[in-house]
Amino acid sequence: MAANSSPFGAAEKTHATKDDVEHGSDIDSLQRGDLLSLEHTDPVLNAKMHLVNNAIDEIGMTTYQWRLFVLNGFGQQMCGLPHPVLKIPGMLVGALFWGLSADIIGRRIAFNTSLVICSVFAIVAGSSPNWIVLGLFVCLSAFGAGGSLVLDTAVFLEFLPSKDQWLLTLMAAWWGLGQLVAGLFAWAFLPNHSCADAASCTYANNKGWRYVWFASGALVFCMSIARITVIRLKETPKFLVGEGRDEEVVAVLQGIAQKHNRPCSISIEGLQACGVTGAWDRRGSVASAHAKKRFSLREVWVHLKGLFATKRMGLSTSLIWFSWLLIGLAYPLYNVFLPSYLATRGASFGQLSQSITWRNYAITNLCSIPGPILAGLMCKSRWFWGRRGTMVIGALVTMAFFFAYTQVRNNAQNLGFNCAISFCLNIYYGTLYAYTPEVLPSAHRGTGNGIAIGLNRVMGILSAVIATVSNTSTPVPIYICAALYIVMAAVAAAFPFEPMGNRSS
């Protein structure tokens, strides 16, 4: 049987030449193992995935990947827009819908569509006549943003050479940049274009929030058009190989290689020699990652089941989802309880002007940007135990600052600790954001990533509910929230897979 033959066709290279090394491929990359290959879920697909990874490593980093890095990063800006409570339901549904859609219809359509929806409704939200309509449009905008948040990392990862996978963690810095831009828009418009109180508000003297939505939505709309016209995204080869579309896999990879004058020795014959993927056998079980009818509940079940195909994969998926639950609860809940707790302990912040409030918001988000940059450098170093060690360090340092934050007594200290926590938290958050798609199987990556981010949003909703029924002046919730970061560190240490030194499947 073809599946039992060598996973390499006659034309496939198993070593790197001098020319390969000069163009970004190296012997170390080509000899790396595929992260999930030892799980033996599908020998044929594993063999083909190995050839695809070899081809991507052989091509190396090109301007195509760098364009993805920049424009995918800008797609995360919508996560930084105001009205976080209004956004949460939309992002929850969007993450689940677009994540599953990416595994069913492909990355390309979902990737291009989600950000356009996000930007258009953000612009429209600025014209809302009342709170109900504003809430509707914000949710619809967040619906698109949820998809962008899921797909930005997945699409970038599936074109990324293994030696450059650390850039996935660095990519989270764009998240902070998006929040910074939103904060700067708010700082520019809200203090000068907002009414003093509800009684004196009219359409004419309260346009500041509209300008924020118009400006942010317009910027993201430009980025969504640039995605379509500049990147001209091709379907990712790792999605195509799971579909059994071998000719298209070769066409995509050879096209990138030829355009950038890079070597690429993958061939249709080499892929077909491994066997057949994407076909049903006589017993009615699927050799690809789809149900017989794609648009059915069984299709959803197939993708969920694929995330638990082996014990290690099931453990990995469960721990990842649990981590997203923890961070989704701990951080927003801490922010809810902290002001009341500090007020009962003698902290005096006074009444800050809108200008100072939004200035501090911008400064805090500016401090979040270096966190993922440091995390990216840490996660590729064996000194820090790769991705897992980086998350452990990030969680524990954040916990220490959270405990220390309870001693804040004035505005300067408040801003300083906010900046420190924003920096440290994004070491953990940025690494978890990148680690999640790295260790998920490609055929079910969108579903697993979407559920992870969806669970995070569920906890955001729950934190708001808890705050309304709890005593916010007691220190107990503060210490519980901080202690959750110890649990996050322990969970990170227990992750069964380490992407450092391996190639994503």
Side-chain angles (χ1 to χ4, degrees):
M1 183 177 174
N4 294 327
S5 63
S6 170
F8 299 96
E12 304 298 329
K13 288 169 47 174
T14 58
H15 62 280
T17 66
K18 179 180 178 181
D19 185 61
D20 296 336
V21 174
E22 290 175 351
H23 288 87
S25 176
D26 53 43
I27 294 175
D28 179 64
S29 293
L30 292 171
Q31 290 180 344
R32 291 184 180 189
D34 298 327
L35 189 63
L36 301 180
S37 61
L38 295 180
E39 298 305 299
H40 305 296
T41 53
D42 186 338
V44 174
L45 182 59
N46 287 342
K48 289 188 175 184
M49 192 65 70
H50 188 78
L51 296 184
V52 170
N53 277 331
N54 277 357
I56 294 173
D57 283 341
E58 188 180 13
I59 294 170
M61 199 73 176
T62 70
T63 55
Y64 183 78
Q65 285 96 336
W66 284 117
R67 289 199 300 268
L68 278 174
F69 177 76
V70 173
L71 293 176
N72 286 24
F74 267 109
Q76 299 178 49
Q77 176 178 344
M78 291 307 292
C79 302
L81 290 178
H83 301 298
V85 176
L86 295 178
K87 289 194 310 178
I88 291 175
M91 294 196 76
L92 167 62
V93 177
L96 297 175
F97 176 84
W98 292 111
L100 181 60
S101 296
D103 287 339
I104 297 175
I105 63 176
R107 282 37 163 167
R108 183 173 177 270
I109 296 176
F111 178 78
N112 287 334
T113 305
S114 59
L115 196 61
V116 173
I117 292 174
C118 172
S119 59
V120 168
F121 282 109
I123 296 172
V124 175
S127 302
S128 301
N130 54 55
W131 274 101
I132 296 176
V133 176
L134 175 63
L136 173 63
F137 287 139
V138 170
C139 281
L140 290 173
S141 176
F143 172 74
S148 182
L149 196 60
V150 171
L151 292 168
D152 287 339
T153 49
V155 169
F156 185 50
L157 173 65
E158 293 184 1
F159 283 102
L160 198 59
S162 60
K163 67 183 181 63
D164 298 305
Q165 278 183 203
W166 66 277
L167 288 173
L168 206 62
T169 301
L170 181 64
M171 190 176 172
W174 289 101
W175 197 346
L177 181 61
Q179 292 175 315
L180 171 62
V181 171
L184 291 175
F185 282 150
W187 188 13
F189 293 126
L190 292 180
N192 300 319
H193 301 279
S194 300
C195 51
D197 52 62
S200 63
C201 268
T202 65
Y203 178 85
N205 69 2
N206 193 38
K207 292 184 178 180
W209 65 271
R210 298 181 188 275
Y211 294 153
V212 172
W213 281 102
F214 289 150
S216 300
L219 178 60
V220 176
F221 182 74
C222 292
M223 293 302 105
S224 66
I225 298 302
R227 274 188 174 188
I228 299 171
T229 58
V230 176
I231 295 180
R232 296 181 182 179
L233 182 73
K234 302 171 176 61
E235 189 55 80
T236 68
K238 292 187 178 182
F239 174 80
L240 292 172
V241 76
E243 301 287 293
R245 294 151 65 178
D246 295 345
E247 294 84 357
E248 293 179 63
V249 173
V250 174
V252 169
L253 292 172
Q254 291 286 3
I256 295 173
Q258 291 172 11
K259 183 176 181 179
H260 297 90
N261 195 27
R262 299 295 176 87
C264 181
S265 56
I266 193 170
S267 66
I268 297 174
E269 294 79 13
L271 289 173
Q272 290 178 343
C274 298
V276 178
T277 54
W280 285 75
D281 64 25
R282 290 176 298 178
R283 295 174 297 175
S285 63
V286 69
S288 70
H290 297 287
K292 198 167 187 178
K293 294 181 179 180
R294 291 203 181 191
F295 299 98
S296 64
L297 289 177
R298 180 162 179 79
E299 174 76 5
V300 178
W301 171 248
V302 167
H303 288 295
L304 290 173
K305 186 178 179 181
L307 295 168
F308 297 86
T310 67
K311 289 183 178 179
R312 289 186 77 206
M313 290 174 65
L315 175 62
S316 176
T317 300
S318 299
L319 292 179
I320 287 171
W321 289 353
F322 184 50
S323 296
W324 281 98
L325 278 171
L326 290 174
I327 190 69
L329 178 63
Y331 188 58
L333 195 60
Y334 192 90
N335 285 335
V336 168
F337 279 105
L338 189 63
S340 297
Y341 173 78
L342 292 178
T344 63
R345 295 302 186 275
S348 178
F349 299 125
Q351 185 66 34
L352 296 178
S353 67
Q354 280 202 60
S355 179
I356 297 299
T357 298
W358 289 110
R359 182 208 67 179
N360 291 352
Y361 179 84
I363 292 173
T364 300
N365 284 302
L366 176 64
C367 293
S368 73
I369 297 174
I373 297 175
L374 177 61
L377 298 174
M378 290 172 63
C379 72
K380 68 174 185 175
S381 170
R382 298 189 184 277
W383 287 97
F384 299 102
W385 196 37
R387 274 69 159 171
R388 292 178 292 184
T390 301
M391 283 186 277
V392 170
I393 293 171
L396 292 179
V397 175
T398 302
M399 176 210 66
F401 275 105
F402 270 22
F403 277 121
Y405 203 165
T406 58
Q407 304 305 311
V408 166
R409 294 295 180 267
N410 57 54
N411 281 317
Q413 294 173 353
N414 184 48
L415 178 60
F417 272 91
N418 267 321
C419 290
I421 288 176
S422 184
F423 172 80
C424 297
L425 177 63
N426 277 277
I427 294 177
Y428 174 85
Y429 223 147
T431 309
L432 178 64
Y433 182 55
Y435 178 88
T436 300
E438 277 190 293
V439 299
L440 294 174
S442 60
H444 316 291
R445 183 169 285 136
T447 302
N449 205 16
I451 292 174
I453 293 174
L455 291 172
N456 181 267
R457 302 305 165 185
V458 168
M459 289 296 102
I461 296 173
L462 183 60
S463 66
V465 174
I466 292 174
T468 61
V469 298
S470 301
N471 181 4
T472 57
S473 63
T474 173
V476 175
I478 299 294
Y479 291 116
I480 291 176
C481 290
L484 287 176
Y485 283 87
I486 299 177
V487 181
M488 292 180 212
V491 172
F495 284 148
F497 297 116
E498 172 53 56
M500 186 182 67
N502 293 293
R503 305 189 299 191
S504 177
S505 296

